[in-house]
Amino acid sequence: MSHPVLPSWRDGRTRTALLRFVEEVTTPGENFLEPPDRVAVFDNDGTLWPEQPMPVQLHYLTERWRQMAQADPALADREPYASVLAGDPSWIASVVADHYAGDDTRLPVLAEAVIATQRGLDTDTVADMMRDFFRTAQHPLLRRAYAACAYQPMLELLSYLRGKGVLHRDRLRRRA
């Protein structure tokens, strides 16, 4: 059944509880919260953007590593640059798997490469680079822009929360 609010959501306890809660905190009364006190927090669980075959953040990093290795050929023989240039994500995946298994031997190499993607750059430059990435990058399997890969129910929820004064783009930008 389609609804004007959260139209792709099925009727059920989750939808009902969510709508009831938002109404309670946005309508004057016992549970009312002033707009500055309303905070929505989302887990990076694959509903805001795709996580497979890799998280979008890792896709951004791999593209930066590729650019860095092309600009400085001396990096091409080092990890993770060598794996990225070869199109082989197994080294990165193995470092993460080792970390979860308690072995952080190679983690500093990966961490240094992540840090290197922003070294010497100011916040505005990094933000511009990320915007450029999202303007042009495509999901590696779906072959469409990441913005076109968002989960419809989550888009509806974000829109609903913005409309109710729970989610504020300007506050998010200031914290970033």
Side-chain angles (χ1 to χ4, degrees), residues 22-80:
V22 172
E23 283 304 314
E24 286 178 9
V25 299
T26 60
T27 303
E30 181 181 344
N31 295 317
F32 178 76
L33 293 173
E34 294 294 334
D37 297 325
R38 300 175 194 163
V39 177
V41 178
F42 295 92
D43 184 12
N44 185 18
D45 65 355
T47 58
L48 293 173
W49 46 53
E51 290 185 309
Q52 298 297 330
M54 71 177 105
V56 66
Q57 302 92 322
L58 180 57
H59 187 183
Y60 171 79
L61 288 172
T62 60
E63 290 306 311
R64 281 288 295 138
W65 291 330
R66 183 181 327 282
Q67 293 164 358
M68 292 167 69
Q70 289 168 345
D72 179 1
L75 294 174
D77 296 330
R78 297 178 15 204
E79 292 296 355

Coordinates of all heavy atoms in Angstrom, one line a residue, residues 22-80:
V22 N 8.9 10.6 15.3 CA 9.2 11.8 14.7 C 8.0 12.8 15.0 O 8.3 14.0 15.3 CB 9.4 11.7 13.2 CG1 9.5 13.0 12.5 CG2 10.7 10.9 12.9
E23 N 6.8 12.4 14.9 CA 5.7 13.3 15.3 C 5.8 13.8 16.7 O 5.6 15.0 17.0 CB 4.3 12.6 15.0 CG 4.0 12.5 13.6 CD 3.9 13.9 12.9 OE1 3.4 14.9 13.4 OE2 4.5 14.0 11.7
E24 N 6.2 12.9 17.6 CA 6.3 13.3 19.0 C 7.4 14.3 19.3 O 7.2 15.2 20.1 CB 6.6 12.1 19.9 CG 5.4 11.2 20.1 CD 5.7 9.9 20.9 OE1 6.8 9.8 21.5 OE2 4.8 9.0 21.0
V25 N 8.5 14.2 18.6 CA 9.6 15.1 18.9 C 9.5 16.4 18.1 O 10.2 17.4 18.4 CB 11.0 14.5 18.7 CG1 11.2 13.3 19.6 CG2 11.2 14.1 17.3
T26 N 8.6 16.4 17.1 CA 8.5 17.6 16.3 C 7.1 18.4 16.5 O 6.9 19.4 15.9 CB 8.6 17.3 14.8 OG1 7.5 16.4 14.4 CG2 9.9 16.7 14.4
T27 N 6.3 17.9 17.4 CA 5.0 18.5 17.7 C 5.1 19.0 19.2 O 5.4 18.2 20.1 CB 3.9 17.5 17.6 OG1 3.9 17.0 16.2 CG2 2.5 18.1 17.8
P28 N 4.8 20.2 19.4 CA 4.8 20.7 20.8 C 4.0 19.8 21.8 O 2.9 19.3 21.5 CB 4.1 22.1 20.8 CG 4.5 22.6 19.4 CD 4.4 21.3 18.5
G29 N 4.7 19.5 22.9 CA 4.1 18.5 23.8 C 5.2 18.0 24.7 O 6.3 18.5 24.8
E30 N 4.9 16.9 25.4 CA 5.8 16.3 26.4 C 7.2 15.9 25.8 O 8.2 16.1 26.4 CB 5.1 15.1 27.0 CG 6.0 14.4 28.1 CD 5.2 13.2 28.6 OE1 4.0 13.0 28.5 OE2 5.9 12.4 29.3
N31 N 7.2 15.4 24.6 CA 8.4 14.8 24.0 C 9.0 15.8 23.0 O 10.0 15.4 22.3 CB 8.2 13.5 23.4 CG 7.9 12.4 24.5 OD1 8.5 12.4 25.5 ND2 6.8 11.6 24.2
F32 N 8.5 17.0 22.8 CA 9.0 17.9 21.8 C 10.4 18.3 22.0 O 10.9 18.5 23.2 CB 8.1 19.2 21.9 CG 8.6 20.3 20.9 CD1 8.3 20.1 19.6 CD2 9.3 21.4 21.4 CE1 8.6 21.1 18.7 CE2 9.7 22.4 20.5 CZ 9.3 22.2 19.1
L33 N 11.2 18.3 20.9 CA 12.6 18.8 20.9 C 12.7 20.0 20.0 O 12.2 20.0 18.9 CB 13.5 17.7 20.4 CG 13.6 16.4 21.3 CD1 14.5 15.4 20.6 CD2 14.3 16.8 22.6
E34 N 13.4 21.0 20.5 CA 13.7 22.1 19.6 C 14.6 21.7 18.5 O 15.4 20.8 18.6 CB 14.4 23.2 20.5 CG 13.6 23.9 21.6 CD 12.4 24.7 21.0 OE1 12.5 25.1 19.9 OE2 11.4 24.8 21.8
P35 N 14.4 22.3 17.3 CA 15.2 21.9 16.1 C 16.7 21.7 16.4 O 17.2 20.7 15.9 CB 14.9 23.0 15.1 CG 13.5 23.4 15.4 CD 13.4 23.3 17.0
P36 N 17.4 22.6 17.1 CA 18.8 22.4 17.3 C 19.1 21.1 18.1 O 20.2 20.6 18.0 CB 19.3 23.6 18.1 CG 18.2 24.6 17.9 CD 16.9 23.9 17.7
D37 N 18.1 20.6 18.8 CA 18.3 19.4 19.6 C 18.0 18.1 18.9 O 18.1 17.0 19.4 CB 17.5 19.4 20.9 CG 18.0 20.6 21.8 OD1 19.2 20.9 21.8 OD2 17.1 21.2 22.5
R38 N 17.5 18.2 17.7 CA 17.1 17.0 16.9 C 18.3 16.6 16.1 O 18.8 17.3 15.3 CB 15.9 17.4 16.0 CG 14.7 17.9 16.7 CD 13.6 18.3 15.7 NE 12.6 19.1 16.4 CZ 11.7 19.8 15.7 NH1 11.8 20.0 14.4 NH2 10.8 20.5 16.4
V39 N 18.7 15.3 16.4 CA 19.8 14.8 15.7 C 19.5 13.4 15.1 O 19.0 12.5 15.9 CB 21.0 14.7 16.6 CG1 22.2 14.0 15.9 CG2 21.4 16.0 17.1
A40 N 19.6 13.2 13.9 CA 19.4 11.9 13.3 C 20.8 11.3 13.0 O 21.7 12.0 12.4 CB 18.6 12.0 12.0
V41 N 21.1 10.1 13.4 CA 22.3 9.4 13.2 C 22.1 8.1 12.3 O 21.2 7.4 12.6 CB 23.0 9.0 14.5 CG1 24.3 8.3 14.3 CG2 23.2 10.3 15.4
F42 N 22.9 8.0 11.3 CA 22.8 6.8 10.4 C 24.0 6.0 10.4 O 25.1 6.5 10.4 CB 22.5 7.3 9.0 CG 21.1 8.0 8.9 CD1 21.0 9.3 9.1 CD2 20.0 7.2 8.7 CE1 19.8 10.0 9.0 CE2 18.8 7.9 8.7 CZ 18.7 9.2 8.8
D43 N 23.9 4.7 10.4 CA 25.0 3.7 10.4 C 25.3 3.6 8.9 O 24.5 3.7 8.0 CB 24.5 2.4 10.9 CG 25.6 1.4 11.0 OD1 26.8 1.7 10.8 OD2 25.3 0.2 11.2
N44 N 26.6 3.4 8.6 CA 27.1 3.1 7.2 C 26.8 1.7 6.9 O 27.7 0.8 7.0 CB 28.5 3.5 7.1 CG 29.0 3.3 5.7 OD1 28.2 3.4 4.8 ND2 30.3 3.2 5.6
D45 N 25.5 1.3 6.7 CA 25.1 0.0 6.5 C 24.7 -0.4 5.1 O 24.1 -1.5 4.9 CB 24.0 -0.3 7.5 CG 22.7 0.5 7.1 OD1 22.8 1.3 6.2 OD2 21.7 0.3 7.8
G46 N 25.1 0.4 4.1 CA 24.7 0.0 2.8 C 23.4 0.6 2.3 O 23.1 0.4 1.1
T47 N 22.7 1.3 3.1 CA 21.4 1.9 2.6 C 21.6 3.3 2.2 O 20.8 3.9 1.5 CB 20.3 1.8 3.7 OG1 20.8 2.5 4.9 CG2 20.0 0.4 4.0
L48 N 22.7 4.0 2.7 CA 23.0 5.4 2.2 C 23.7 5.4 0.9 O 23.6 6.2 0.1 CB 23.7 6.1 3.3 CG 23.0 6.4 4.6 CD1 23.9 7.0 5.6 CD2 21.8 7.3 4.3
W49 N 24.6 4.4 0.7 CA 25.3 4.2 -0.5 C 25.8 2.7 -0.5 O 25.9 2.1 0.5 CB 26.5 5.1 -0.6 CG 27.4 5.3 0.6 CD1 28.0 4.3 1.3 CD2 27.7 6.5 1.3 NE1 28.7 4.8 2.4 CE2 28.5 6.2 2.4 CE3 27.4 7.8 1.0 CZ2 29.0 7.1 3.2 CZ3 27.9 8.8 1.9 CH2 28.7 8.4 2.9
P50 N 26.1 2.2 -1.7 CA 26.5 0.8 -1.8 C 27.8 0.5 -1.1 O 28.7 1.3 -1.0 CB 26.7 0.6 -3.3 CG 26.1 1.8 -4.0 CD 26.1 2.9 -3.0
E51 N 27.8 -0.7 -0.5 CA 29.0 -1.2 0.1 C 29.7 -2.3 -0.7 O 30.9 -2.7 -0.4 CB 28.7 -1.8 1.5 CG 28.3 -0.8 2.5 CD 28.0 -1.4 3.9 OE1 27.3 -2.4 3.9 OE2 28.6 -0.9 4.8
Q52 N 29.1 -2.9 -1.7 CA 29.6 -4.0 -2.5 C 29.8 -3.5 -3.9 O 29.0 -2.8 -4.4 CB 28.7 -5.2 -2.4 CG 28.6 -5.8 -1.0 CD 29.9 -6.3 -0.4 OE1 30.8 -6.7 -1.2 NE2 30.0 -6.1 0.9
P53 N 30.8 -3.9 -4.6 CA 31.9 -4.8 -4.2 C 32.9 -4.2 -3.3 O 33.7 -4.9 -2.7 CB 32.5 -5.2 -5.5 CG 32.4 -4.0 -6.4 CD 31.0 -3.4 -6.0
M54 N 32.8 -2.9 -3.0 CA 33.6 -2.2 -2.0 C 32.9 -1.0 -1.6 O 32.1 -0.4 -2.3 CB 35.0 -1.9 -2.6 CG 34.9 -0.7 -3.6 SD 36.6 -0.2 -4.2 CE 36.5 -0.9 -5.9
P55 N 33.2 -0.6 -0.3 CA 32.6 0.7 0.1 C 33.0 1.8 -0.8 O 34.1 1.8 -1.3 CB 33.1 0.8 1.5 CG 33.6 -0.5 2.0 CD 34.0 -1.2 0.7
V56 N 32.1 2.7 -1.0 CA 32.3 3.9 -1.9 C 33.6 4.7 -1.4 O 34.3 5.2 -2.2 CB 31.1 4.8 -2.0 CG1 30.7 5.4 -0.8 CG2 31.3 5.8 -3.1
Q57 N 33.8 4.7 -0.1 CA 34.9 5.4 0.4 C 36.2 4.8 0.0 O 37.2 5.4 -0.4 CB 34.9 5.5 2.0 CG 33.7 6.1 2.6 CD 32.6 5.1 2.9 OE1 32.4 4.2 2.1 NE2 31.9 5.3 4.0
L58 N 36.2 3.4 -0.1 CA 37.4 2.7 -0.6 C 37.6 2.9 -2.1 O 38.7 3.1 -2.6 CB 37.3 1.2 -0.3 CG 38.5 0.4 -0.7 CD1 39.8 0.9 -0.2 CD2 38.3 -1.1 -0.4
H59 N 36.5 3.0 -2.8 CA 36.6 3.3 -4.2 C 37.3 4.7 -4.4 O 38.2 4.8 -5.3 CB 35.2 3.3 -4.9 CG 35.3 3.4 -6.4 ND1 34.1 3.5 -7.1 CD2 36.3 3.5 -7.3 CE1 34.4 3.6 -8.4 NE2 35.7 3.7 -8.5
Y60 N 36.9 5.7 -3.6 CA 37.6 7.0 -3.7 C 39.1 6.8 -3.4 O 39.9 7.4 -4.2 CB 36.9 8.0 -2.7 CG 37.7 9.3 -2.6 CD1 37.6 10.2 -3.6 CD2 38.6 9.5 -1.6 CE1 38.3 11.4 -3.5 CE2 39.3 10.6 -1.5 CZ 39.2 11.6 -2.5 OH 39.9 12.7 -2.4
L61 N 39.4 6.1 -2.4 CA 40.8 6.0 -2.0 C 41.6 5.3 -3.1 O 42.7 5.7 -3.4 CB 40.9 5.2 -0.7 CG 40.5 5.9 0.6 CD1 40.5 4.9 1.7 CD2 41.5 7.1 0.8
T62 N 41.0 4.2 -3.7 CA 41.7 3.5 -4.8 C 42.0 4.4 -6.0 O 43.0 4.3 -6.6 CB 41.0 2.2 -5.2 OG1 39.7 2.5 -5.7 CG2 41.0 1.2 -4.0
E63 N 41.0 5.2 -6.3 CA 41.2 6.2 -7.4 C 42.3 7.2 -7.0 O 43.1 7.6 -7.9 CB 39.9 6.9 -7.8 CG 38.9 6.0 -8.4 CD 39.5 5.2 -9.6 OE1 40.1 5.9 -10.5 OE2 39.4 4.0 -9.7
R64 N 42.4 7.7 -5.8 CA 43.4 8.6 -5.4 C 44.8 7.9 -5.5 O 45.8 8.5 -5.9 CB 43.2 9.1 -3.9 CG 42.2 10.2 -3.8 CD 42.7 11.5 -4.4 NE 43.8 12.0 -3.6 CZ 44.9 12.5 -4.1 NH1 45.1 12.7 -5.4 NH2 45.9 13.0 -3.3
W65 N 44.9 6.6 -5.0 CA 46.1 5.9 -5.0 C 46.6 5.7 -6.5 O 47.7 5.8 -6.8 CB 46.0 4.6 -4.3 CG 45.8 4.7 -2.8 CD1 46.4 5.7 -2.0 CD2 45.2 3.8 -2.0 NE1 46.0 5.5 -0.7 CE2 45.3 4.3 -0.7 CE3 44.4 2.6 -2.2 CZ2 44.7 3.7 0.4 CZ3 43.9 2.0 -1.1 CH2 44.0 2.5 0.2
R66 N 45.6 5.4 -7.4 CA 45.9 5.3 -8.8 C 46.5 6.6 -9.3 O 47.6 6.6 -10.0 CB 44.7 4.9 -9.6 CG 45.0 4.6 -11.1 CD 43.7 4.2 -11.9 NE 42.7 3.5 -11.1 CZ 42.7 2.2 -10.9 NH1 43.8 1.5 -11.3 NH2 41.8 1.6 -10.2
Q67 N 45.9 7.7 -9.0 CA 46.4 9.0 -9.5 C 47.8 9.3 -8.9 O 48.6 9.8 -9.6 CB 45.4 10.1 -9.0 CG 44.1 10.1 -9.7 CD 43.1 11.0 -8.9 OE1 43.4 11.6 -7.9 NE2 41.8 11.0 -9.5
M68 N 47.9 9.0 -7.6 CA 49.2 9.3 -7.0 C 50.3 8.4 -7.6 O 51.4 8.9 -7.8 CB 49.1 9.0 -5.5 CG 48.2 10.0 -4.8 SD 47.7 9.5 -3.1 CE 49.3 9.7 -2.3
A69 N 50.1 7.1 -7.9 CA 51.1 6.3 -8.5 C 51.4 6.7 -9.9 O 52.5 6.6 -10.3 CB 50.6 4.8 -8.4
Q70 N 50.4 7.2 -10.6 CA 50.7 7.7 -12.0 C 51.5 8.9 -11.9 O 52.4 9.1 -12.8 CB 49.4 7.9 -12.7 CG 48.7 6.6 -13.0 CD 47.2 6.8 -13.5 OE1 46.6 7.8 -13.4 NE2 46.7 5.7 -14.1
A71 N 51.3 9.8 -10.9 CA 52.1 11.0 -10.8 C 53.5 10.7 -10.2 O 54.4 11.5 -10.5 CB 51.3 12.0 -9.9
D72 N 53.6 9.7 -9.4 CA 54.9 9.3 -8.8 C 55.2 7.8 -9.1 O 54.8 7.0 -8.2 CB 54.9 9.7 -7.4 CG 56.2 9.3 -6.7 OD1 57.2 8.8 -7.3 OD2 56.3 9.5 -5.4
P73 N 55.8 7.5 -10.2 CA 56.0 6.1 -10.5 C 56.7 5.3 -9.4 O 56.6 4.0 -9.4 CB 56.8 6.1 -11.8 CG 56.5 7.4 -12.4 CD 56.3 8.4 -11.2
A74 N 57.5 5.9 -8.5 CA 58.1 5.2 -7.5 C 57.1 4.5 -6.5 O 57.5 3.5 -5.9 CB 59.0 6.1 -6.7
L75 N 55.9 5.0 -6.5 CA 54.9 4.3 -5.7 C 54.4 3.0 -6.3 O 53.8 2.2 -5.6 CB 53.7 5.3 -5.5 CG 54.0 6.6 -4.7 CD1 52.7 7.5 -4.7 CD2 54.4 6.2 -3.3
A76 N 54.5 2.8 -7.6 CA 53.9 1.7 -8.3 C 54.4 0.4 -7.8 O 53.7 -0.6 -8.0 CB 54.2 1.8 -9.8
D77 N 55.5 0.3 -7.1 CA 56.0 -1.0 -6.6 C 55.7 -1.2 -5.2 O 56.0 -2.3 -4.6 CB 57.6 -1.0 -6.7 CG 58.0 -1.0 -8.2 OD1 57.3 -1.5 -9.1 OD2 59.1 -0.5 -8.4
R78 N 55.0 -0.3 -4.5 CA 54.6 -0.4 -3.1 C 53.1 -0.7 -3.0 O 52.3 -0.3 -3.9 CB 55.0 0.9 -2.4 CG 56.4 1.2 -2.4 CD 56.9 2.5 -1.7 NE 55.9 3.1 -0.9 CZ 55.9 4.4 -0.6 NH1 56.8 5.2 -1.1 NH2 55.0 4.9 0.2
E79 N 52.7 -1.3 -1.9 CA 51.3 -1.5 -1.6 C 50.8 -0.3 -0.9 O 51.5 0.4 -0.1 CB 51.1 -2.7 -0.7 CG 51.4 -4.0 -1.5 CD 50.5 -4.3 -2.7 OE1 49.5 -3.5 -2.9 OE2 50.8 -5.3 -3.4
P80 N 49.6 0.1 -1.0 CA 48.5 -0.6 -1.8 C 48.5 -0.2 -3.3 O 47.7 -0.6 -4.1 CB 47.2 -0.2 -1.2 CG 47.5 1.2 -0.7 CD 49.0 1.2 -0.3

